[in-house]
Amino acid sequence: MKFRAVIMLAIAATLSACGVNSVPTAEEAAKARWADVQAAYQRRADTIPNIVATVKGSAASEGKILTDVVNARANATKVQINAGDLTDPAKVASFQQAQGALGASLGRLLATVEAYPTLQSQANFQALIREIEGSNNRINIAIRDYNTSVQAYNTKIRTFPDAIGAKIVYGAKPMVPFQAAPGADANPTIDFGNSN
């Protein structure tokens, strides 16, 4: 009887040191952070129609930029990724590309606003600009938190002793961190001469 108890304790100790509990905990934390990234992007997408409506009222001549923003928002909301897709680099890259296009369109919109001092002075527009800035800050924080969780998970499934449970019990695969879009490190070019 004592021998069985000792064996059971040894098995329990061995399993607890092999990532049986820590691997799924780390995986779920990373998935939760991904949900935060999606929520931050959704918040920004929900704010855009209000911004577009406000800008249309004051800068109707810049219709192409507004159309680009609306189209980019539509494309960004079409690309969906769920927690099960976080190990697929192509799906994560597709999501990032769509969100990057939306961010670039918003950048052009904000640059256009800089050219219209009367538009800048409108209280409603100023409030909406603060909303966009707040949304972008939330997105950046959510991405940082997601990448931190992915790093912790990926490290856990690759280090001893958790790697044993990760491979044998769960068949764990590394998750894909969120990366900046190509060219994100370059300064944007703003040209007010031609709005084609």
Side-chain angles (χ1 to χ4, degrees):
M1 195 64 122
K2 285 185 179 183
F3 182 70
R4 266 192 191 162
V6 170
I7 297 265
M8 295 301 267
L9 284 174
I11 290 172
T14 302
L15 287 177
S16 68
C18 291
V20 171
N21 290 325
S22 62
V23 170
T25 300
E27 181 181 26
E28 291 304 317
K31 287 178 180 179
R33 297 300 71 80
W34 179 252
D36 293 344
V37 170
Q38 289 180 309
Y41 275 120
Q42 185 62 53
R43 182 183 187 283
R44 181 177 74 174
D46 292 344
T47 305
I48 290 170
N50 294 328
I51 293 170
V52 170
T54 301
V55 175
K56 273 185 180 177
S58 299
S61 64
E62 296 300 326
K64 182 180 181 331
I65 292 174
L66 297 174
T67 301
D68 289 349
V69 170
V70 170
N71 291 340
R73 177 189 180 270
N75 289 335
T77 56
K78 284 180 191 174
V79 178
Q80 297 295 318
I81 186 170
N82 62 46
D85 295 331
L86 295 176
T87 57
D88 185 343
K91 288 184 179 179
V92 173
S94 176
F95 181 85
Q96 288 174 213
Q97 183 180 17
Q99 294 301 331
L102 177 55
S105 293
L106 285 172
R108 286 190 300 279
L109 175 63
L110 295 177
T112 299
V113 170
E114 294 293 323
Y116 291 96
T118 57
L119 184 60
Q120 289 179 26
S121 66
Q122 294 180 5
N124 287 341
F125 188 79
Q126 288 298 318
L128 291 170
I129 290 297
R130 283 191 298 276
E131 281 294 315
I132 279 288
E133 289 171 348
S135 291
N136 287 338
N137 287 337
R138 284 178 183 86
I139 289 167
N140 288 335
I141 290 167
I143 288 170
R144 183 198 62 209
D145 292 349
Y146 168 71
N147 283 344
T148 299
S149 293
V150 167
Q151 178 188 13
Y153 172 76
N154 288 347
T155 300
K156 187 167 289 294
I157 67 169
R158 292 180 57 216
T159 56
F160 184 80
D162 292 332
I164 297 168
K167 297 292 183 202
I168 295 172
V169 177
Y170 299 110
K173 295 178 186 174
M175 288 186 174
V176 180
F178 201 96
Q179 298 175 347
D185 57 340
N187 288 329
T189 302
I190 299 172
D191 180 10
F192 293 111
N194 189 359
S195 61
N196 289 336

